[in-house]
Amino acid sequence: MNVPFVDLKAQYHTLRNDIDNAMQRVIERTAFIMGDEVAQFEQAFADYCGVAYGVGVDSGTSALEMALRAHDIGEGDEVIIPANTFIASALAISYCGATPVLVDIDPDTYMMDTALVADAITERTAAIMPVHLYGHAVDMDAILALAIQHDLVVIEDASQAHGALYKGRRVGSFGHTAAFSLYPAKNLGAFGDAGVLVTDDPAIAEKLRLLRNYGSTKKYHHDMIGYNHRLDTLQAAVLCAKLPYLDAWGKARRAHAAQYAAQLADTPLVLPKSAETVSPVHHVYVVRTAWRDELQAYLKERGIGTVIHYPIPIHLQPAYAELGYEAGDFPVTERYAREILSLPMFAELTDEQIDAVVAAIEDFFMEKAMAAFDERVAVPA
Ligand SMILES: *Cc1c(COP(=O)(O)O)cnc(C)c1O
């Protein structure tokens, strides 16, 4: 049985009528730019997060950049992010002329290590950007305490955690502003690039609306040098159709994770652990093993898709050589980059598919054990 890493078609087929009709309505009205669905989605998503304002944009990367700009972060400022995250968290900081400052991750939760965040704060630190990676949540009490103590802005990168809970509250509702990617394979995905910001601050919400639309208050009146980073109406229509299902999808992902955990418990894999304060939405299901590359190749041969999130940490990318970090600076991130593997995970994953993934993993370790046994009992010639 082939098991794809992610299956976007399965989700489309369950919602086909809703989505097709929503898109058709936009097309009939030719309301492609800033049509009513944009504001509808913004309010619905803000309500979902328990935050006052939502602002739609054209990608998660734009959302992060606009958030930083709205908070006047730029040249000379430092922004603290985890060493293990998607590169876009760092790129958005660079676009603003600020400097990403990396910290290592917690070995158990794989989230940014909040004790190390405290050590990384300098005179130039302007913001902390906790990344709710893999659908888990960062320890926000610790981050918010540091932010208050040092008067820092907190911008959540919630691109992988739509709907995840920290102490019963949704991520995105903790920082001054939060950014979400709505890339097709994210837990809430558009039919192309899209993103959204949420904030409780009316002045920041207003500034974000100007920034994403040429700095324009009304047509041909420009208060600031803004950008063209609007959310397309067609994408907003798709997102409005999908949002009501987001909680059910999060629940399904938690059920799949529980099933993986139960069925893989007796294998040598290190399984993901979540903090007691967190209800994760498992954007990806990340296991660890010293035989990662061999296991990935074995699963590929059996038709099972896997991905590594992420194989090369930001500080070891040529793009960020200028930051001056070296191999060894973030030992947990570096070690995990060699050992982590994301197994198939999406809401529509079936029991049979999970069984197939588990069986293949069991076979892999059984074959490894047999090979090791054969080697030990082999009589030297
Ligand atoms: C996907 C992602 C982004 C970037 O979002 P895009 O919509 O692809 O621009 C940023 N941060 C994290 C953690 C992500 O997973």
Side-chain angles (χ1 to χ4, degrees), residues 60 64 84-89 110-111 130-137 156-164 171 179-183 185-188 246 253 279-286 308-310 342:
L64 289 168
N84 184 34
T85 178
F86 181 55
I87 190 121
S89 314
Y110 305 18
M111 299 299 107
V131 181
H132 304 301
L133 204 68
Y134 303 157
H136 196 271
E156 294 173 71
D157 183 348
S159 294
Q160 299 190 3
H162 321 65
V171 301
F180 293 81
S181 168
L182 303 165
Y183 176 83
K186 298 291 161 85
N187 288 34
L188 179 63
L246 182 56
R253 285 170 181 270
S279 175
V281 288
H282 300 284
H283 172 57
V284 286
Y285 189 82
V286 179
I308 300 163
H309 297 96
Y310 295 92
S342 303

mmCIF file of all heavy atoms in Angstrom, residues 60 64 84-89 110-111 130-137 156-164 171 179-183 185-188 246 253 279-286 308-310 342:
data_model
loop_
_atom_site.group_PDB
_atom_site.id
_atom_site.type_symbol
_atom_site.label_atom_id
_atom_site.label_comp_id
_atom_site.label_asym_id
_atom_site.label_seq_id
_atom_site.Cartn_x
_atom_site.Cartn_y
_atom_site.Cartn_z
ATOM 1 N N GLY A 60 2.658 33.169 4.457
ATOM 2 C CA GLY A 60 3.095 33.193 5.848
ATOM 3 C C GLY A 60 4.348 34.041 6.014
ATOM 4 O O GLY A 60 4.518 34.734 7.028
ATOM 5 N N LEU A 64 4.784 37.297 8.529
ATOM 6 C CA LEU A 64 5.851 37.542 9.517
ATOM 7 C C LEU A 64 6.526 38.885 9.253
ATOM 8 O O LEU A 64 6.774 39.664 10.186
ATOM 9 C CB LEU A 64 6.892 36.421 9.456
ATOM 10 C CG LEU A 64 6.443 35.063 10.002
ATOM 11 C CD1 LEU A 64 7.439 33.973 9.624
ATOM 12 C CD2 LEU A 64 6.258 35.127 11.518
ATOM 13 N N ASN A 84 15.980 25.521 15.150
ATOM 14 C CA ASN A 84 15.225 24.565 14.343
ATOM 15 C C ASN A 84 13.867 25.157 13.983
ATOM 16 O O ASN A 84 12.923 25.122 14.770
ATOM 17 C CB ASN A 84 15.014 23.241 15.088
ATOM 18 C CG ASN A 84 14.318 22.207 14.204
ATOM 19 O OD1 ASN A 84 14.532 22.174 13.000
ATOM 20 N ND2 ASN A 84 13.477 21.382 14.805
ATOM 21 N N THR A 85 13.796 25.732 12.785
ATOM 22 C CA THR A 85 12.518 26.207 12.252
ATOM 23 C C THR A 85 12.670 26.283 10.756
ATOM 24 O O THR A 85 13.774 26.143 10.223
ATOM 25 C CB THR A 85 12.118 27.578 12.826
ATOM 26 O OG1 THR A 85 10.871 28.000 12.229
ATOM 27 C CG2 THR A 85 13.153 28.652 12.554
ATOM 28 N N PHE A 86 11.553 26.506 10.055
ATOM 29 C CA PHE A 86 11.626 26.729 8.606
ATOM 30 C C PHE A 86 12.332 28.070 8.373
ATOM 31 O O PHE A 86 12.153 29.009 9.139
ATOM 32 C CB PHE A 86 10.218 26.731 8.008
ATOM 33 C CG PHE A 86 10.211 26.926 6.519
ATOM 34 C CD1 PHE A 86 10.948 26.084 5.697
ATOM 35 C CD2 PHE A 86 9.486 27.950 5.931
ATOM 36 C CE1 PHE A 86 10.953 26.268 4.320
ATOM 37 C CE2 PHE A 86 9.485 28.127 4.558
ATOM 38 C CZ PHE A 86 10.222 27.295 3.753
ATOM 39 N N ILE A 87 13.110 28.140 7.310
ATOM 40 C CA ILE A 87 13.961 29.314 7.066
ATOM 41 C C ILE A 87 13.176 30.628 6.996
ATOM 42 O O ILE A 87 13.722 31.697 7.286
ATOM 43 C CB ILE A 87 14.811 29.113 5.791
ATOM 44 C CG1 ILE A 87 15.884 30.200 5.652
ATOM 45 C CG2 ILE A 87 13.939 29.104 4.544
ATOM 46 C CD1 ILE A 87 17.262 29.711 5.594
ATOM 47 N N ALA A 88 11.881 30.558 6.635
ATOM 48 C CA ALA A 88 11.088 31.784 6.494
ATOM 49 C C ALA A 88 11.026 32.599 7.783
ATOM 50 O O ALA A 88 10.930 33.832 7.732
ATOM 51 C CB ALA A 88 9.677 31.455 6.018
ATOM 52 N N SER A 89 11.098 31.923 8.949
ATOM 53 C CA SER A 89 11.084 32.671 10.221
ATOM 54 C C SER A 89 12.252 33.649 10.241
ATOM 55 O O SER A 89 12.113 34.798 10.675
ATOM 56 C CB SER A 89 11.194 31.734 11.432
ATOM 57 O OG SER A 89 10.333 30.634 11.331
ATOM 58 N N TYR A 110 11.210 19.795 21.537
ATOM 59 C CA TYR A 110 11.758 20.293 20.267
ATOM 60 C C TYR A 110 11.379 21.750 20.015
ATOM 61 O O TYR A 110 11.595 22.269 18.923
ATOM 62 C CB TYR A 110 11.327 19.452 19.055
ATOM 63 C CG TYR A 110 11.626 17.956 19.107
ATOM 64 C CD1 TYR A 110 11.910 17.293 20.290
ATOM 65 C CD2 TYR A 110 11.626 17.195 17.950
ATOM 66 C CE1 TYR A 110 12.174 15.925 20.327
ATOM 67 C CE2 TYR A 110 11.895 15.822 17.957
ATOM 68 C CZ TYR A 110 12.157 15.199 19.168
ATOM 69 O OH TYR A 110 12.405 13.854 19.197
ATOM 70 N N MET A 111 10.772 22.414 21.007
ATOM 71 C CA MET A 111 10.432 23.840 20.860
ATOM 72 C C MET A 111 11.610 24.684 21.344
ATOM 73 O O MET A 111 12.512 24.178 22.006
ATOM 74 C CB MET A 111 9.199 24.207 21.713
ATOM 75 C CG MET A 111 7.925 23.470 21.353
ATOM 76 S SD MET A 111 7.339 23.731 19.675
ATOM 77 C CE MET A 111 7.741 22.129 18.941
ATOM 78 N N PRO A 130 8.564 33.247 19.050
ATOM 79 C CA PRO A 130 8.393 31.811 19.320
ATOM 80 C C PRO A 130 7.746 31.146 18.108
ATOM 81 O O PRO A 130 6.820 31.712 17.520
ATOM 82 C CB PRO A 130 7.463 31.784 20.532
ATOM 83 C CG PRO A 130 6.753 33.102 20.521
ATOM 84 C CD PRO A 130 7.669 34.089 19.859
ATOM 85 N N VAL A 131 8.244 29.979 17.736
ATOM 86 C CA VAL A 131 7.682 29.236 16.596
ATOM 87 C C VAL A 131 6.996 27.985 17.146
ATOM 88 O O VAL A 131 7.652 27.134 17.748
ATOM 89 C CB VAL A 131 8.776 28.840 15.584
ATOM 90 C CG1 VAL A 131 8.159 28.103 14.393
ATOM 91 C CG2 VAL A 131 9.557 30.066 15.113
ATOM 92 N N HIS A 132 5.697 27.907 16.947
ATOM 93 C CA HIS A 132 4.939 26.736 17.420
ATOM 94 C C HIS A 132 5.118 25.629 16.387
ATOM 95 O O HIS A 132 4.246 25.392 15.537
ATOM 96 C CB HIS A 132 3.465 27.090 17.604
ATOM 97 C CG HIS A 132 3.239 28.257 18.519
ATOM 98 N ND1 HIS A 132 3.660 28.268 19.826
ATOM 99 C CD2 HIS A 132 2.664 29.463 18.301
ATOM 100 C CE1 HIS A 132 3.320 29.422 20.387
ATOM 101 N NE2 HIS A 132 2.725 30.158 19.482
ATOM 102 N N LEU A 133 6.264 24.968 16.478
ATOM 103 C CA LEU A 133 6.691 24.034 15.433
ATOM 104 C C LEU A 133 5.970 22.690 15.546
ATOM 105 O O LEU A 133 5.661 22.235 16.645
ATOM 106 C CB LEU A 133 8.201 23.829 15.571
ATOM 107 C CG LEU A 133 8.942 23.384 14.302
ATOM 108 C CD1 LEU A 133 8.941 24.486 13.250
ATOM 109 C CD2 LEU A 133 10.374 22.989 14.628
ATOM 110 N N TYR A 134 5.755 22.051 14.404
ATOM 111 C CA TYR A 134 5.196 20.693 14.311
ATOM 112 C C TYR A 134 3.747 20.607 14.823
ATOM 113 O O TYR A 134 3.225 19.514 15.038
ATOM 114 C CB TYR A 134 6.032 19.680 15.115
ATOM 115 C CG TYR A 134 7.503 19.579 14.761
ATOM 116 C CD1 TYR A 134 8.426 19.085 15.689
ATOM 117 C CD2 TYR A 134 7.967 19.939 13.502
ATOM 118 C CE1 TYR A 134 9.774 18.965 15.367
ATOM 119 C CE2 TYR A 134 9.324 19.831 13.176
ATOM 120 C CZ TYR A 134 10.220 19.342 14.122
ATOM 121 O OH TYR A 134 11.549 19.222 13.805
ATOM 122 N N GLY A 135 3.095 21.766 15.090
ATOM 123 C CA GLY A 135 1.742 21.727 15.637
ATOM 124 C C GLY A 135 1.715 21.705 17.153
ATOM 125 O O GLY A 135 0.652 21.604 17.766
ATOM 126 N N HIS A 136 2.909 21.801 17.768
ATOM 127 C CA HIS A 136 3.031 21.884 19.229
ATOM 128 C C HIS A 136 3.017 23.374 19.602
ATOM 129 O O HIS A 136 2.893 24.218 18.722
ATOM 130 C CB HIS A 136 4.338 21.195 19.644
ATOM 131 C CG HIS A 136 4.418 20.861 21.103
ATOM 132 N ND1 HIS A 136 4.916 21.750 22.029
ATOM 133 C CD2 HIS A 136 4.074 19.756 21.792
ATOM 134 C CE1 HIS A 136 4.874 21.193 23.235
ATOM 135 N NE2 HIS A 136 4.357 19.977 23.114
ATOM 136 N N ALA A 137 3.117 23.710 20.873
ATOM 137 C CA ALA A 137 3.162 25.127 21.255
ATOM 138 C C ALA A 137 4.373 25.382 22.140
ATOM 139 O O ALA A 137 4.777 24.529 22.924
ATOM 140 C CB ALA A 137 1.888 25.522 21.990
ATOM 141 N N GLU A 156 4.279 35.685 17.400
ATOM 142 C CA GLU A 156 4.193 34.227 17.289
ATOM 143 C C GLU A 156 4.245 33.808 15.823
ATOM 144 O O GLU A 156 3.500 34.358 15.016
ATOM 145 C CB GLU A 156 2.865 33.720 17.876
ATOM 146 C CG GLU A 156 2.717 33.905 19.365
ATOM 147 C CD GLU A 156 1.310 33.521 19.814
ATOM 148 O OE1 GLU A 156 0.996 32.314 19.806
ATOM 149 O OE2 GLU A 156 0.525 34.420 20.145
ATOM 150 N N ASP A 157 5.095 32.851 15.504
ATOM 151 C CA ASP A 157 5.038 32.200 14.195
ATOM 152 C C ASP A 157 4.227 30.921 14.402
ATOM 153 O O ASP A 157 4.740 29.902 14.872
ATOM 154 C CB ASP A 157 6.440 31.884 13.657
ATOM 155 C CG ASP A 157 6.380 31.257 12.252
ATOM 156 O OD1 ASP A 157 5.283 30.869 11.815
ATOM 157 O OD2 ASP A 157 7.453 31.142 11.618
ATOM 158 N N ALA A 158 2.935 31.033 14.084
ATOM 159 C CA ALA A 158 2.002 29.924 14.336
ATOM 160 C C ALA A 158 1.678 29.181 13.037
ATOM 161 O O ALA A 158 0.626 28.539 12.919
ATOM 162 C CB ALA A 158 0.735 30.466 14.989
ATOM 163 N N SER A 159 2.591 29.249 12.082
ATOM 164 C CA SER A 159 2.358 28.702 10.738
ATOM 165 C C SER A 159 2.097 27.204 10.712
ATOM 166 O O SER A 159 1.567 26.685 9.737
ATOM 167 C CB SER A 159 3.570 28.991 9.855
ATOM 168 O OG SER A 159 3.700 30.370 9.654
ATOM 169 N N GLN A 160 2.512 26.488 11.765
ATOM 170 C CA GLN A 160 2.321 25.036 11.792
ATOM 171 C C GLN A 160 1.344 24.605 12.881
ATOM 172 O O GLN A 160 1.267 23.424 13.197
ATOM 173 C CB GLN A 160 3.674 24.330 12.015
ATOM 174 C CG GLN A 160 4.676 24.620 10.915
ATOM 175 C CD GLN A 160 5.924 23.761 10.992
ATOM 176 O OE1 GLN A 160 6.036 22.887 11.839
ATOM 177 N NE2 GLN A 160 6.866 24.013 10.092
ATOM 178 N N ALA A 161 0.612 25.573 13.458
ATOM 179 C CA ALA A 161 -0.118 25.198 14.678
ATOM 180 C C ALA A 161 -1.523 25.777 14.786
ATOM 181 O O ALA A 161 -2.030 25.977 15.891
ATOM 182 C CB ALA A 161 0.709 25.602 15.898
ATOM 183 N N HIS A 162 -2.190 26.006 13.662
ATOM 184 C CA HIS A 162 -3.564 26.530 13.673
ATOM 185 C C HIS A 162 -4.435 25.680 14.588
ATOM 186 O O HIS A 162 -4.644 24.497 14.306
ATOM 187 C CB HIS A 162 -4.174 26.497 12.274
ATOM 188 C CG HIS A 162 -3.231 26.859 11.158
ATOM 189 N ND1 HIS A 162 -2.133 26.104 10.840
ATOM 190 C CD2 HIS A 162 -3.246 27.887 10.290
ATOM 191 C CE1 HIS A 162 -1.501 26.660 9.829
ATOM 192 N NE2 HIS A 162 -2.145 27.747 9.479
ATOM 193 N N GLY A 163 -4.905 26.277 15.670
ATOM 194 C CA GLY A 163 -5.815 25.558 16.562
ATOM 195 C C GLY A 163 -5.157 24.857 17.732
ATOM 196 O O GLY A 163 -5.852 24.347 18.614
ATOM 197 N N ALA A 164 -3.829 24.831 17.777
ATOM 198 C CA ALA A 164 -3.156 24.193 18.928
ATOM 199 C C ALA A 164 -3.432 25.005 20.193
ATOM 200 O O ALA A 164 -3.570 26.228 20.142
ATOM 201 C CB ALA A 164 -1.648 24.111 18.684
ATOM 202 N N VAL A 171 -3.101 29.069 20.241
ATOM 203 C CA VAL A 171 -1.905 29.812 19.853
ATOM 204 C C VAL A 171 -2.339 30.933 18.905
ATOM 205 O O VAL A 171 -3.344 30.813 18.204
ATOM 206 C CB VAL A 171 -0.809 28.932 19.205
ATOM 207 C CG1 VAL A 171 -0.369 27.822 20.143
ATOM 208 C CG2 VAL A 171 -1.258 28.368 17.867
ATOM 209 N N ALA A 179 1.454 35.384 13.322
ATOM 210 C CA ALA A 179 1.434 35.162 11.878
ATOM 211 C C ALA A 179 1.186 33.683 11.600
ATOM 212 O O ALA A 179 1.771 32.816 12.258
ATOM 213 C CB ALA A 179 2.766 35.591 11.270
ATOM 214 N N PHE A 180 0.323 33.422 10.629
ATOM 215 C CA PHE A 180 0.009 32.053 10.210
ATOM 216 C C PHE A 180 0.242 31.926 8.713
ATOM 217 O O PHE A 180 -0.234 32.762 7.944
ATOM 218 C CB PHE A 180 -1.469 31.723 10.449
ATOM 219 C CG PHE A 180 -1.896 31.651 11.890
ATOM 220 C CD1 PHE A 180 -2.181 32.802 12.607
ATOM 221 C CD2 PHE A 180 -2.052 30.425 12.516
ATOM 222 C CE1 PHE A 180 -2.609 32.736 13.933
ATOM 223 C CE2 PHE A 180 -2.469 30.346 13.839
ATOM 224 C CZ PHE A 180 -2.744 31.496 14.550
ATOM 225 N N SER A 181 0.918 30.880 8.283
ATOM 226 C CA SER A 181 0.959 30.522 6.876
ATOM 227 C C SER A 181 -0.308 29.733 6.559
ATOM 228 O O SER A 181 -0.797 28.972 7.393
ATOM 229 C CB SER A 181 2.174 29.638 6.585
ATOM 230 O OG SER A 181 2.067 29.072 5.283
ATOM 231 N N LEU A 182 -0.834 29.937 5.347
ATOM 232 C CA LEU A 182 -1.976 29.148 4.874
ATOM 233 C C LEU A 182 -1.599 28.427 3.578
ATOM 234 O O LEU A 182 -2.422 28.202 2.693
ATOM 235 C CB LEU A 182 -3.201 30.063 4.673
ATOM 236 C CG LEU A 182 -3.628 30.846 5.934
ATOM 237 C CD1 LEU A 182 -4.583 31.969 5.584
ATOM 238 C CD2 LEU A 182 -4.270 29.916 6.969
ATOM 239 N N TYR A 183 -0.321 28.101 3.486
ATOM 240 C CA TYR A 183 0.238 27.294 2.386
ATOM 241 C C TYR A 183 -0.583 25.992 2.285
ATOM 242 O O TYR A 183 -1.047 25.485 3.311
ATOM 243 C CB TYR A 183 1.710 27.023 2.746
ATOM 244 C CG TYR A 183 2.481 26.137 1.821
ATOM 245 C CD1 TYR A 183 3.057 26.643 0.666
ATOM 246 C CD2 TYR A 183 2.659 24.782 2.129
ATOM 247 C CE1 TYR A 183 3.781 25.820 -0.179
ATOM 248 C CE2 TYR A 183 3.384 23.963 1.290
ATOM 249 C CZ TYR A 183 3.943 24.486 0.128
ATOM 250 O OH TYR A 183 4.660 23.669 -0.691
ATOM 251 N N ALA A 185 -0.296 22.815 2.242
ATOM 252 C CA ALA A 185 -0.090 21.642 3.095
ATOM 253 C C ALA A 185 -0.133 21.969 4.594
ATOM 254 O O ALA A 185 0.036 21.077 5.421
ATOM 255 C CB ALA A 185 1.240 20.983 2.748
ATOM 256 N N LYS A 186 -0.377 23.222 4.967
ATOM 257 C CA LYS A 186 -0.487 23.549 6.396
ATOM 258 C C LYS A 186 -1.825 23.021 6.939
ATOM 259 O O LYS A 186 -2.698 22.626 6.168
ATOM 260 C CB LYS A 186 -0.360 25.062 6.608
ATOM 261 C CG LYS A 186 1.003 25.630 6.157
ATOM 262 C CD LYS A 186 2.149 25.179 7.059
ATOM 263 C CE LYS A 186 3.511 25.322 6.405
ATOM 264 N NZ LYS A 186 4.125 26.622 6.501
ATOM 265 N N ASN A 187 -2.010 23.041 8.251
ATOM 266 C CA ASN A 187 -3.231 22.459 8.833
ATOM 267 C C ASN A 187 -4.494 23.134 8.305
ATOM 268 O O ASN A 187 -5.536 22.501 8.171
ATOM 269 C CB ASN A 187 -3.200 22.524 10.363
ATOM 270 C CG ASN A 187 -2.218 21.538 10.943
ATOM 271 O OD1 ASN A 187 -1.176 21.271 10.346
ATOM 272 N ND2 ASN A 187 -2.540 20.984 12.097
ATOM 273 N N LEU A 188 -4.399 24.438 8.032
ATOM 274 C CA LEU A 188 -5.448 25.143 7.285
ATOM 275 C C LEU A 188 -4.751 25.683 6.043
ATOM 276 O O LEU A 188 -3.876 26.546 6.155
ATOM 277 C CB LEU A 188 -6.045 26.279 8.119
ATOM 278 C CG LEU A 188 -7.130 27.099 7.403
ATOM 279 C CD1 LEU A 188 -8.349 26.244 7.062
ATOM 280 C CD2 LEU A 188 -7.562 28.294 8.249
ATOM 281 N N LEU A 246 -11.649 22.889 10.723
ATOM 282 C CA LEU A 246 -10.289 22.883 11.267
ATOM 283 C C LEU A 246 -10.191 22.119 12.598
ATOM 284 O O LEU A 246 -9.253 21.352 12.814
ATOM 285 C CB LEU A 246 -9.783 24.331 11.423
ATOM 286 C CG LEU A 246 -8.357 24.509 11.943
ATOM 287 C CD1 LEU A 246 -7.335 23.769 11.097
ATOM 288 C CD2 LEU A 246 -8.013 26.000 12.021
ATOM 289 N N ARG A 253 -6.016 14.458 13.647
ATOM 290 C CA ARG A 253 -4.552 14.364 13.697
ATOM 291 C C ARG A 253 -4.101 13.857 15.072
ATOM 292 O O ARG A 253 -3.165 13.054 15.163
ATOM 293 C CB ARG A 253 -3.921 15.732 13.413
ATOM 294 C CG ARG A 253 -3.971 16.138 11.937
ATOM 295 C CD ARG A 253 -3.544 17.595 11.768
ATOM 296 N NE ARG A 253 -3.588 18.061 10.396
ATOM 297 C CZ ARG A 253 -2.565 17.980 9.531
ATOM 298 N NH1 ARG A 253 -1.403 17.468 9.912
ATOM 299 N NH2 ARG A 253 -2.691 18.422 8.300
ATOM 300 N N SER A 279 -2.072 21.111 23.951
ATOM 301 C CA SER A 279 -2.844 20.187 23.130
ATOM 302 C C SER A 279 -2.422 20.436 21.684
ATOM 303 O O SER A 279 -2.846 21.409 21.061
ATOM 304 C CB SER A 279 -4.343 20.429 23.325
ATOM 305 O OG SER A 279 -5.066 19.603 22.442
ATOM 306 N N PRO A 280 -1.543 19.564 21.156
ATOM 307 C CA PRO A 280 -0.963 19.825 19.835
ATOM 308 C C PRO A 280 -1.914 19.454 18.689
ATOM 309 O O PRO A 280 -2.853 18.694 18.896
ATOM 310 C CB PRO A 280 0.277 18.917 19.817
ATOM 311 C CG PRO A 280 -0.048 17.800 20.747
ATOM 312 C CD PRO A 280 -1.046 18.307 21.760
ATOM 313 N N VAL A 281 -1.635 20.001 17.505
ATOM 314 C CA VAL A 281 -2.442 19.642 16.321
ATOM 315 C C VAL A 281 -1.617 18.875 15.285
ATOM 316 O O VAL A 281 -2.058 18.700 14.146
ATOM 317 C CB VAL A 281 -3.118 20.879 15.677
ATOM 318 C CG1 VAL A 281 -4.249 21.381 16.555
ATOM 319 C CG2 VAL A 281 -2.112 21.983 15.395
ATOM 320 N N HIS A 282 -0.409 18.413 15.709
ATOM 321 C CA HIS A 282 0.399 17.497 14.889
ATOM 322 C C HIS A 282 0.437 17.867 13.413
ATOM 323 O O HIS A 282 0.013 17.086 12.564
ATOM 324 C CB HIS A 282 -0.094 16.049 15.074
ATOM 325 C CG HIS A 282 -0.007 15.588 16.491
ATOM 326 N ND1 HIS A 282 1.188 15.241 17.070
ATOM 327 C CD2 HIS A 282 -0.947 15.478 17.459
ATOM 328 C CE1 HIS A 282 0.968 14.901 18.328
ATOM 329 N NE2 HIS A 282 -0.312 15.045 18.599
ATOM 330 N N HIS A 283 0.953 19.044 13.128
ATOM 331 C CA HIS A 283 1.164 19.409 11.719
ATOM 332 C C HIS A 283 2.012 18.321 11.053
ATOM 333 O O HIS A 283 1.729 17.897 9.938
ATOM 334 C CB HIS A 283 1.859 20.771 11.627
ATOM 335 C CG HIS A 283 2.272 21.118 10.242
ATOM 336 N ND1 HIS A 283 1.372 21.178 9.203
ATOM 337 C CD2 HIS A 283 3.480 21.390 9.703
ATOM 338 C CE1 HIS A 283 2.018 21.487 8.084
ATOM 339 N NE2 HIS A 283 3.291 21.605 8.350
ATOM 340 N N VAL A 284 3.040 17.879 11.768
ATOM 341 C CA VAL A 284 3.831 16.728 11.324
ATOM 342 C C VAL A 284 4.083 15.827 12.524
ATOM 343 O O VAL A 284 4.024 16.283 13.678
ATOM 344 C CB VAL A 284 5.179 17.156 10.682
ATOM 345 C CG1 VAL A 284 4.941 17.746 9.297
ATOM 346 C CG2 VAL A 284 5.934 18.138 11.549
ATOM 347 N N TYR A 285 4.336 14.542 12.270
ATOM 348 C CA TYR A 285 4.609 13.575 13.338
ATOM 349 C C TYR A 285 6.081 13.177 13.214
ATOM 350 O O TYR A 285 6.463 12.425 12.310
ATOM 351 C CB TYR A 285 3.691 12.356 13.216
ATOM 352 C CG TYR A 285 3.784 11.434 14.417
ATOM 353 C CD1 TYR A 285 3.065 11.707 15.584
ATOM 354 C CD2 TYR A 285 4.593 10.303 14.393
ATOM 355 C CE1 TYR A 285 3.149 10.881 16.692
ATOM 356 C CE2 TYR A 285 4.684 9.465 15.502
ATOM 357 C CZ TYR A 285 3.957 9.762 16.645
ATOM 358 O OH TYR A 285 4.046 8.948 17.742
ATOM 359 N N VAL A 286 6.899 13.716 14.131
ATOM 360 C CA VAL A 286 8.356 13.614 13.997
ATOM 361 C C VAL A 286 8.918 12.551 14.936
ATOM 362 O O VAL A 286 8.776 12.665 16.157
ATOM 363 C CB VAL A 286 9.014 14.978 14.306
ATOM 364 C CG1 VAL A 286 10.526 14.894 14.187
ATOM 365 C CG2 VAL A 286 8.478 16.058 13.370
ATOM 366 N N ILE A 308 11.985 15.399 6.044
ATOM 367 C CA ILE A 308 12.816 15.796 7.192
ATOM 368 C C ILE A 308 12.598 17.284 7.479
ATOM 369 O O ILE A 308 12.833 18.116 6.610
ATOM 370 C CB ILE A 308 14.312 15.513 6.903
ATOM 371 C CG1 ILE A 308 14.522 14.016 6.648
ATOM 372 C CG2 ILE A 308 15.179 15.999 8.066
ATOM 373 C CD1 ILE A 308 15.845 13.708 5.967
ATOM 374 N N HIS A 309 12.122 17.593 8.673
ATOM 375 C CA HIS A 309 11.868 18.987 9.070
ATOM 376 C C HIS A 309 12.776 19.403 10.223
ATOM 377 O O HIS A 309 12.408 19.256 11.350
ATOM 378 C CB HIS A 309 10.419 19.162 9.518
ATOM 379 C CG HIS A 309 9.400 18.895 8.474
ATOM 380 N ND1 HIS A 309 8.761 17.690 8.337
ATOM 381 C CD2 HIS A 309 8.931 19.695 7.486
ATOM 382 C CE1 HIS A 309 7.910 17.763 7.314
ATOM 383 N NE2 HIS A 309 8.011 18.954 6.784
ATOM 384 N N TYR A 310 14.017 19.835 9.960
ATOM 385 C CA TYR A 310 14.621 20.242 8.715
ATOM 386 C C TYR A 310 16.018 19.667 8.637
ATOM 387 O O TYR A 310 16.663 19.563 9.673
ATOM 388 C CB TYR A 310 14.642 21.777 8.655
ATOM 389 C CG TYR A 310 13.199 22.294 8.610
ATOM 390 C CD1 TYR A 310 12.541 22.624 9.793
ATOM 391 C CD2 TYR A 310 12.494 22.374 7.416
ATOM 392 C CE1 TYR A 310 11.210 23.047 9.778
ATOM 393 C CE2 TYR A 310 11.168 22.810 7.390
ATOM 394 C CZ TYR A 310 10.537 23.139 8.578
ATOM 395 O OH TYR A 310 9.227 23.528 8.566
ATOM 396 N N SER A 342 9.806 12.823 9.587
ATOM 397 C CA SER A 342 8.365 13.067 9.719
ATOM 398 C C SER A 342 7.606 11.998 8.947
ATOM 399 O O SER A 342 7.793 11.842 7.745
ATOM 400 C CB SER A 342 8.017 14.456 9.183
ATOM 401 O OG SER A 342 8.754 15.450 9.859
#
